[in-house]
């Protein structure tokens, strides 16, 4: 008897669910933009940067009256969902965006697992997926609707290390330390190859478990091998800050570099400017550029500081997508938008000349490339050391 | 468990007798028609999630029934998932073989470790299963060959089912997957319900409630615990396989301590007294994140609150509440056939 | 190369160990006396650290005062928690554990709502590095070890020399007899819990400035505390002490000479081994299996 009652309750619940689902209005004048990113837990820093970039780009477009497509103006509505940097949550988010919110364009995600899992659904449903998933497997000849608008180590490690080799020819012994997760693994592979290509000697290469806060044992091991340079790889900004601080506390005087994603302001907060002196890293944008101050202000008005370097990148990536939609003249024919996006180069507001590449590495030209900056921290400030082109 | 207050495990007195089995059969048939009534992909996704959790939660219930609270259930799910993915992708096994194999792998490993772990009592058993779960996860994370390490395994193919030679079809759509999961879930529920109703089920109850007395009456409590643990491992393995081929991607992230905790919460909130408990718990808790999408941070706060409040106010879970409500209704109608 | 490595490894190990000991002390007290597996212990650690952060950044209190207030405040919170939440589960170990789990989820996510997902830092208190020959030792770590020893000594004296401490030991040994002797269990239980959480908060206040603060910072220390307590024996103070040192040094050795992954695995394998073969740990009582 209980079970029958139990199932009746289930039926009622289901009916309620269906009615709720049907309650969503479909406004003609709105373009829904989905965002899948880690909004909680590890990676939330980068996830927020992604979401902020998409939202700020949408806000600016809306401020100009909306996106003009085929004669009509559309207001952009951003729908962000948390993927917790995990595959399953990303897949669920994709499911919800595509089938419940009826979205055809998604910005995101950040993580590799998240990207790969969600991709199964976006590709099958011809939904454009424009993001950052930091794994080579995200792009492929058969993955027609996935694009990456950030550069990964595959694109910038070689040019960056070439630049460093020229500038610091005596720095030969390399120690590479990365996180023990999908991003860490992928990234180290490229760094390794690039180091070897420019003639560096790899004296150490290992991973640390996510959640580690005490790096002294592993740093101890590293410093015993007397490296000239410590490369922090794909570690997230919080961990990097700790590593730098602890390494300097242990008396390490060599170079510390990060051939990986941005996060220097966060690192400065943790390690302090004395320890961060001389830290060299990759930056897709020039932080001194007055335009960056502008977006920084807009960012701080809406989100908790500090702004991560990924935000301007996603801003530009989102605008690029909008441009493609506009040029294709359709919101519903994703095939057309895809083809248009592929053929379009774009001058990013903050990122400069963005164009597609990647056929050699991935089998399809869906990877962005643009000239970037090699930066150094001097007296607590981010200073451009040099510029490089992939 | 406790000696004062309502015992969460005492609710199963109201097990459904055989005459009501036909009602259940009718219900199962109804479930077959759901995709016809609601072909919406989004809802199907939620329902499939619910079904997977039901398989996991009910099989955990089996283990709890013998008095052992295990926080390693997600690890067995992982074992099943990786087994399924690897045997299909590396050994080329057909899915109809890979699926039961995943279950068997879960059961075997459960038997192997259970031999040692089940000797521990109460809280210590919980702690050792926690450690075991972490060890399994660390294995998955650190062994790139064959588990793919932290990246896990991607591009897991959808199940290719060949019931008769020459007739193979691939489960590409959600609707087809719905039927697969529904089938496995119904089978699991049927088997577990039969076990609960049989003398084995009664023996399991005795093992939990009064272990010494049970031994005295000749019940080999250790055997029953092993049986339940292995059974739990088996169904968790099956669920793992279904999970892997549905999301087409698995990584150690999906099989952590928190996933095991989720299953325990489902049992606690739903009620551990019978199969209906974890079923109710799954139906209530699994779709919850979907309805709280706008308030991500509060979602988990609510979750913790629900757990605490349930233990406080309704330790017998939703099942217990339901039973109480039914009792009250029955007592208002004297003379009517009351015993369920 | 070998000469600097080994002593540094040992120092790292001891430092790591003292961090673990602080957490383990509170955990073993709560487990030993109240028989509650306090899955929320890490969250009290987290709250201790965040209390200090808020006090320093928002109210400009100095570090020492902030730390003391944190211990008192979180201790009070612990008292109330036991009174309100755990009281009715005093005889029910498993339910108590599940409630602690719920509390853990609740607190972590309340923390997330309150402080956001980003890593925050407490401004460093002790700067500078101590250099002896080729060995380096950051001052702040030295201070942590020093303060930890002070706390441990204080706690030990509390247990052995004060009435409250002795009372707590009594109820740990045998609750029934303690009750018969007239001890007010209803006051002692929450007090014991408060001391436990106070220790966790102290650990958070002391270790916080070293690393990052975020709502889930308590998870790892909790896991380590639990390993140490099993290793040392549940309810045993010297066990927590020795267990912490052993785990810290062992992990330091394994991370440095083998790999970090193996070091992480080590702790759990130890737990399983101990629970199966020597359940009372180094010094604990044997009530683990039949």
């Amino acid at each position: 008897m209980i079970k029958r009652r139990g199932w009746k309750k289930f039926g009622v619940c289901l009916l309620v669910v269906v009615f709720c689902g049907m309650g969503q209005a479909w406004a003609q004048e709105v373009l829904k933009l989905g965002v899948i990113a880690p909004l909680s837990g590890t990676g939330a820093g980068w996830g927020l940067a992604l979401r902020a970039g998409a939202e700020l780009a949408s806000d600016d477009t809306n401020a100009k009256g909306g996106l003009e497509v085929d004669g009509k103006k559309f207001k952009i509505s951003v729908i962000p969902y948390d993927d917790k940097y995990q595959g399953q949550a990303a897949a669920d988010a994709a499911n919800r965006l595509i089938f419940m919110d009826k979205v055809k364009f998604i910005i995101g995600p950040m993580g590799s697992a998240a990207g790969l899992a969600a991709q199964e659904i976006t590709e099958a449903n011809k939904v454009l997926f424009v993001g950052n998933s930091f794994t080579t497997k995200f792009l492929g000849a058969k993955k027609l609707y996935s694009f990456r608008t950030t550069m990964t180590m595959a694109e910038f490690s070689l040019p960056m290390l070439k630049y460093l080799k020229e500038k610091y020819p005596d720095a030969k012994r390399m120690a590479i330390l990365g996180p023990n997760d999908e991003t860490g693994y992928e990234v180290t592979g490229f760094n390794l190859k690039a180091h070897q290509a420019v003639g560096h000697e790899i004296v150490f290469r290992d991973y640390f478990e996510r959640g580690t806060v005490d790096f002294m044992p592993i740093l101890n091991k590293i410093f015993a091998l007397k490296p000239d340079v410590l490369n922090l790889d794909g570690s997230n900004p919080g961990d990097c800050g700790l590593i730098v601080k602890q390494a300097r506390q242990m008396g390490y005087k060599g170079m510390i570099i990060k051939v990986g994603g941005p996060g220097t302001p966060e690192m400065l907060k943790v390690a302090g400017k004395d320890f961060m002196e001389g830290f060299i890293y990759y930056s897709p944008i020039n932080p001194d550029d007055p335009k960056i101050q502008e977006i920084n202000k807009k960012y701080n008005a809406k989100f908790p500081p500090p702004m991560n370097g990924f935000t301007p990148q996603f801003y530009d990536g989102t605008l690029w997508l909008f441009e493609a939609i506009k040029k294709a003249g359709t919101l519903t024919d994703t095939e057309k938008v895809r083809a248009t996006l592929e053929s379009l180069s774009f001058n990013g507001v903050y990122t400069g000349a963005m164009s597609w590449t990647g056929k050699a590495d991935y089998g399809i030209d869906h990877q962005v490339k643009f000239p970037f900056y090699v930066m150094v921290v001097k007296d607590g400030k981010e200073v451009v050391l040099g510029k490089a082109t992939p | 468990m406790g000696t004062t207050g309502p015992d969460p495990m005492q609710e199963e007195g109201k097990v459904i007798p055989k005459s009501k089995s036909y009602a259940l059969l009718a219900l199962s048939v109804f479930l077959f028609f759901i995709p016809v009534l609601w072909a919406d992909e989004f809802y199907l996704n939620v329902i499939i999630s619910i079904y997977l959790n039901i398989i996991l939660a009910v099989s955990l219930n089996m283990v709890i029934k013998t008095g052992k609270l295990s926080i390693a259930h997600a690890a067995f799910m992982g074992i099943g998932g990786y087994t399924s993915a690897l045997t299909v992708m590396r050994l080329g096994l057909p899915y109809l073989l890979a699926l039961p194999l995943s279950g068997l792998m879960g059961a075997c490993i459960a038997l192997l470790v259970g031999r040692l772990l089940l000797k521990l009592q109460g809280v210590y058993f919980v702690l050792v299963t926690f450690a075991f779960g972490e060890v399994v996860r660390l294995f998955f994370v650190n062994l790139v060959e064959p588990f793919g390490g932290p990246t896990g395994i991607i591009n897991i193919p959808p199940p290719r089912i060949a019931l008769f030679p020459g007739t193979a079809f691939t489960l590409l759509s959600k609707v087809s997957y719905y039927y697969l999961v529904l089938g496995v879930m119904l089978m699991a529920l049927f088997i577990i319900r039969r076990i609960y109703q049989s003398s084995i089920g009664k023996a399991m109850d005795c093992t939990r409630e009064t272990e010494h007395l049970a031994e005295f009456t000749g019940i080999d409590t250790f055997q029953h615990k092993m049986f339940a643990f292995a059974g739990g491992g088996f169904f968790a393995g099956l669920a793992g396989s279904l999970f892997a081929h549905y999301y087409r991607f698995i990584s150690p992230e999906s099989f952590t301590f928190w996933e095991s905790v989720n299953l325990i919460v489902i049992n606690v909130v739903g009620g551990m007294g019978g199969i209906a408990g974890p079923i109710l718990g799954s139906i209530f808790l699994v779709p919850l994140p979907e309805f709280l999408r706008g308030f991500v941070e509060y979602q988990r706060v609510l979750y913790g609150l629900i757990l605490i409040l349930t233990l406080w106010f309704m330790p017998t879970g939703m099942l217990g509440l339901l039973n109480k409500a039914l009792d009250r209704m029955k007592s208002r109608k004297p003379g009517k056939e009351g015993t369920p | 190369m070998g000469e600097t490595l080994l002593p540094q490894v040992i120092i790292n190990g001891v430092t790591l160990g003292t961090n673990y000991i602080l957490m383990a002390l509170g955990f073993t007290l709560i487990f030993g006396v109240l028989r509650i597996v306090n899955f929320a212990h890490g969250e009290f650690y987290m709250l201790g650290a965040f209390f200090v952060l808020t006090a320093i950044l928002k109210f400009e209190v100095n570090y020492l005062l902030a730390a003391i207030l944190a211990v008192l405040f979180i201790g009070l919170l612990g008292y109330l928690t036991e009174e309100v939440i755990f009281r009715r589960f005093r005889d029910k170990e498993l339910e108590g554990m599940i409630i602690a789990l719920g509390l853990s989820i609740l607190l972590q996510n309340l923390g997330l709502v309150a402080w956001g997902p980003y890593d925050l830092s407490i401004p460093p208190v002790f700067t500078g590095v101590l250099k002896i020959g080729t060995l380096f030792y950051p001052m702040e770590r030295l201070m942590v070890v020093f303060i930890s020893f002070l706390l441990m000594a204080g706690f030990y004296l509390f247990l052995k020399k004060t009435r409250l401490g002795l009372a707590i030991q009594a109820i740990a040994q045998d609750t029934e007899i303690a009750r018969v002797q007239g001890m007010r269990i209803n006051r002692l239980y929450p007090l014991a819990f408060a001391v436990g959480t106070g220790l966790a908060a102290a650990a958070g206040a002391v270790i916080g400035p070293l690393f990052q603060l975020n709502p889930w910072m308590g998870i790892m220390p909790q896991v380590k505390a639990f390993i140490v307590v099993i290793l040392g024996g549940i309810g045993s103070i010297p066990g927590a002490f020795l267990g912490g040192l052993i785990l810290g040094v062992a992990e330091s050795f394994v991370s440095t000479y083998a790999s970090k992954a193996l070091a992480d695995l080590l702790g759990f394998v130890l737990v399983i081994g101990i629970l199966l073969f020597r359940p009372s740990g180094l010094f604990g009582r044997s009530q683990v299996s039949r």
Side-chain angles (χ1 to χ4, degrees), chain B residues 16-237:
Chain B
I16 299 145
K18 298 197 168 85
S19 63
K20 301 293 179 186
S21 294
Y22 295 113
L24 292 177
L25 205 57
L27 193 53
S28 311
V29 171
F30 166 69
L31 292 179
F32 272 91
F33 285 102
I34 286 190
V36 175
L37 299 172
W38 291 290
D40 186 292
E41 301 246 2
F42 171 65
Y43 292 117
L44 279 181
N45 183 47
V46 177
I47 297 178
I48 290 176
S49 264
I50 294 178
Y51 287 176
L52 285 174
N53 273 282
I54 288 179
I55 300 176
L56 287 164
V58 174
S59 53
L60 177 61
N61 189 271
M62 209 162 60
V63 178
I64 297 180
K65 203 170 171 65
T66 56
K68 299 287 185 211
L69 192 63
S70 157
I71 320 189
H73 217 63
F76 290 108
M77 179 188 174
I79 290 171
Y82 278 100
T83 304
S84 187
L86 289 171
T87 51
V88 167
M89 292 168 79
R90 301 268 185 114
L91 301 178
L93 281 188
Y95 188 71
L96 280 182
L97 263 187
L99 180 59
L101 201 62
S102 311
L104 282 173
M105 189 61 116
C108 285
I109 300 205
L111 282 173
L112 234 79
V113 294
R115 190 162 298 271
L116 290 172
L117 303 185
L118 289 166
K119 293 214 175 87
L120 296 176
Q121 297 293 55
V123 167
Y124 300 99
F125 176 74
V126 183
L127 295 177
V128 87
T129 54
F130 167 63
F132 173 67
E134 283 298 292
V135 169
V136 171
R137 186 188 66 84
L138 283 171
F139 260 89
F140 291 146
V141 166
N142 286 295
L143 292 177
V144 182
E145 202 39 53
F147 301 120
T151 323
I153 303 183
I154 60 162
N155 293 332
I156 301 178
R160 203 157 173 278
I161 312 244
L163 282 171
F164 310 103
T167 64
F169 55 94
T170 317
L171 299 185
L172 276 175
S173 70
K174 280 209 178 50
V175 177
S176 54
Y177 217 87
Y178 171 89
Y179 285 114
L180 174 65
V181 181
L182 177 65
V184 176
M185 178 187 81
L186 288 177
M187 178 204 72
L189 290 177
F190 178 71
I191 294 177
I192 295 180
R193 179 168 166 253
R194 294 288 266 148
I195 293 176
Y196 280 17
Q197 285 177 319
S198 73
S199 55
I200 298 181
K202 304 286 187 290
M204 285 161 81
D205 286 327
C206 292
T207 306
R208 180 188 73 251
E209 287 169 30
T210 47
E211 192 159 351
H212 297 277
L213 209 54
E215 294 266 327
F216 210 60
T217 59
I219 297 175
D220 186 342
T221 56
F222 194 72
Q223 287 279 48
H224 283 88
K225 291 181 209 171
M226 284 283 269
F227 176 73
F229 199 57
F234 177 75
F235 290 110

Side-chain angles (χ1 to χ4, degrees), chain A residues 2-3 7 10 14 17-18 21 81-82 88 92 95-96 99-100 113 116 120 137 180-181 185, chain B residues 14 16 24 27 38 41-43 45 142 144 150 154 174 243 247-249 283 290-291 293 296 323:
Chain A
I2 307 110
K3 250 205 170 149
W7 288 118
F10 172 65
L14 208 50
V17 155
V18 169
Y81 289 142
D82 185 7
Q88 196 192 335
D92 286 340
N95 261 310
R96 188 175 168 112
F99 299 116
M100 177 101 158
L116 295 173
E120 301 274 352
K137 306 183 185 117
N180 197 10
D181 61 20
Y185 263 57
Chain B
K14 311 215 169 74
I16 299 145
L24 292 177
L27 193 53
W38 291 290
E41 301 246 2
F42 171 65
Y43 292 117
N45 183 47
N142 286 295
V144 182
I154 60 162
K174 280 209 178 50
F243 179 89
Y247 287 101
R248 312 247 184 103
F249 166 77
I283 294 174
E290 290 299 331
F291 296 116
R293 277 268 174 204
V296 174
N323 284 343

Side-chain angles (χ1 to χ4, degrees), chain A residues 122-360:
Chain A
T122 56
E123 287 295 318
N125 288 281
K126 302 203 180 157
V127 167
L128 260 80
F129 203 10
V130 177
N132 176 63
S133 189
F134 237 55
T135 167
T136 46
K137 306 183 185 117
F138 185 69
L139 299 178
K142 298 219 188 95
K143 305 196 175 173
L144 300 172
Y145 296 88
S146 304
F147 294 79
R148 184 156 53 215
T149 51
T150 52
M151 291 207 292
T152 68
M153 277 54 116
E155 284 74 51
F156 65 75
S157 47
L158 192 54
M160 181 169 170
L161 288 173
K162 264 202 202 136
Y163 174 87
L164 285 176
K165 179 78 178 166
E166 262 177 50
K167 198 157 164 87
Y168 304 103
D170 294 326
K172 296 208 186 73
R173 297 167 66 84
M174 298 286 155
I176 310 176
L177 181 62
N180 197 10
D181 61 20
E182 329 76 40
T183 314
Y185 263 57
E186 284 273 325
V187 164
T188 319
F190 287 108
N191 267 329
L192 209 58
K193 269 193 274 179
H195 277 295
Q196 285 163 342
V198 304
H200 287 147
E201 184 193 339
I202 314 280
V203 301
F204 176 89
R205 174 207 170 179
D206 202 358
Y207 310 94
F208 59 88
E209 187 76 16
R210 240 195 283 165
T212 307
V213 288
D214 193 340
F215 295 94
M216 284 184 73
I218 201 169
L219 285 172
N220 211 12
K221 191 173 174 182
I222 295 177
F223 298 147
L225 299 165
K226 302 212 192 311
D228 298 317
V229 183
L230 176 59
N231 182 352
L232 298 180
D233 222 44
S235 316
N236 77 40
D239 292 338
C240 287
L242 284 176
I243 298 175
V244 169
K245 174 171 150 179
Q246 291 170 16
R248 294 295 183 212
Q249 280 176 336
M250 288 174 75
Y252 174 63
K253 298 263 185 288
M255 275 171 76
I256 305 186
I257 69 176
K258 185 177 194 323
V259 185
T264 306
E266 296 95 307
M267 289 174 67
L268 275 166
K269 263 181 40 176
V270 175
K273 66 177 196 175
D274 292 326
F275 288 157
M276 287 287 284
E277 184 72 19
F279 173 68
I280 294 179
Y281 57 102
Y282 154 85
S283 175
I285 51 152
N286 179 356
D288 281 333
D289 187 344
K291 285 188 268 165
I292 299 288
Q293 314 299 337
E294 229 182 82
I295 191 176
N296 214 334
K297 261 197 258 152
K298 284 191 210 162
Y299 177 94
N300 290 336
K302 224 181 158 181
F303 303 101
M307 179 180 83
N308 179 282
F310 269 135
T311 302
Q313 273 222 273
F314 282 109
Y315 181 98
D316 283 332
T318 309
L319 282 187
W320 198 351
L321 175 64
F322 288 167
E323 186 68 17
I325 297 175
K326 182 168 168 185
K327 279 217 154 73
T330 168
L331 284 185
T332 45
D333 187 350
T334 51
E335 172 61 41
K336 206 161 172 215
V337 178
R338 174 192 76 76
T340 313
L341 184 57
E342 271 179 356
S343 66
L344 202 60
S345 288
F346 188 71
N347 264 332
V349 178
Y350 309 101
T351 318
M354 298 161 79
S355 60
W356 295 118
T357 178
K359 197 126 192 197

